[in-house]
């Protein structure tokens, strides 16, 4: 299943073909909870995608501090964790960093940096829309957007799939 719309070539009368740039791209992460457990909470990475003027970019889904804490708590309970509450709290605080927002984040990575390569878009997590965001790739190939919602509340029913959609504003 392709990750999203691909550029289409339109033939208009006798005029040369015009390439239409995709306005939206969707990444459906199937069985996201199982994949996160397998990857020990590391970022999940999409296949290469195209959106607007950005060809070959990838999305990196980071599950966030809340998800990581929930995993630590469930492991602690099931393994009969003998650490004190204070020790657990200290470890949790040490594991939380600026690049690990509470509800997770979406990183966008382009193949190369270029003059004037920008994306202004909305991020849709499941059916919840947030933004608009502006990512400027002129000086950094990786940009990050923190999720404002708990992504685990927006999984597809009975499938445990997470849909992340970027929708250009212009």
């Amino acid at each position: 299943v392709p990750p999203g719309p691909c550029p289409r070539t339109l033939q208009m009368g006798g005029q040369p073909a015009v390439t239409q740039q995709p306005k939206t791209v969707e990444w459906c992460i199937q069985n996201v909870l199982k994949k996160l457990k397998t990857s020990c909470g590391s970022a999940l990475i999409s296949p290469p995608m195209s959106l607007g003027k950005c060809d070959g970019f990838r999305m990196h889904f980071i599950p966030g501090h809340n998800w990581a804490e929930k995993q630590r708590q469930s492991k602690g309970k099931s393994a009969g964790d003998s650490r004190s509450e204070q020790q657990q709290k200290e470890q949790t605080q040490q594991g939380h960093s600026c690049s690990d927002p509470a509800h997770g984040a979406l990183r966008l990575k382009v193949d190369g940096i270029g003059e004037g390569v920008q994306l202004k878009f909305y991020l849709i997590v499941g059916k919840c829309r947030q933004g608009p965001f502006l990512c400027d790739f002129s000086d950094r190939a990786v940009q990050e957007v923190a999720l404002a919602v708990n992504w685990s509340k927006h999984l597809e029913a009975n499938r445990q799939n997470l849909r992340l959609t970027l929708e250009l504003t212009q």
Side-chain angles (χ1 to χ4, degrees):
V1 177
C6 295
R8 293 182 291 252
T9 301
L10 304 175
Q11 193 72 336
M12 306 178 110
Q15 299 176 1
V18 176
T19 301
Q20 181 180 353
Q21 296 174 339
K23 305 270 189 230
T24 62
V25 67
E26 182 178 88
W27 178 29
C28 179
I29 307 172
Q30 297 180 346
N31 297 310
V32 68
L33 298 174
K34 183 178 179 181
K35 287 182 179 177
L36 287 170
K37 191 171 185 177
T38 301
S39 73
C40 298
S42 295
L44 301 178
I45 302 171
S46 76
M49 301 180 169
S50 295
L51 181 66
K53 296 178 182 178
C54 288
D55 287 327
F57 81 92
R58 292 179 187 263
M59 291 190 235
H60 295 214
F61 171 67
I62 295 97
H65 176 70
N66 290 351
W67 181 85
E69 177 60 23
K70 187 175 178 182
Q71 297 307 301
R72 277 193 283 277
Q73 287 175 355
S74 68
K75 283 183 182 180
K77 289 178 184 174
S78 64
D81 196 351
S82 61
R83 295 175 297 156
S84 71
E85 285 185 35
Q86 180 62 31
Q87 288 172 322
Q88 292 178 27
K89 187 176 179 181
E90 287 171 9
Q91 182 183 6
T92 299
Q93 289 171 344
Q94 291 168 358
H96 182 59
S97 68
C98 293
S99 63
D100 190 17
H103 294 302
L106 188 66
R107 287 189 189 133
L108 303 177
K109 182 178 181 182
V110 295
D111 283 340
I113 56 178
E115 215 36 59
V117 178
Q118 294 183 339
L119 285 179
K120 188 172 181 182
F121 60 92
Y122 289 98
L123 169 61
I124 303 163
V125 179
K127 295 183 179 181
C128 184
R129 186 177 186 200
Q130 63 182 78
F133 300 99
L134 177 63
C135 289
D136 184 354
F137 298 101
S138 357
D139 58 344
R140 287 187 325 179
V142 179
Q143 303 284 323
E144 184 172 302
V145 174
L147 302 181
V149 296
N150 182 347
W151 58 267
S152 66
K153 305 287 185 203
H154 298 277
L155 300 178
E156 292 178 349
N158 300 326
R159 293 195 180 142
Q160 302 301 302
N161 298 343
L162 177 63
R163 289 193 186 273
L164 300 173
T165 306
L166 300 183
E167 180 181 276
L168 287 181
T169 62
Q170 303 165 355

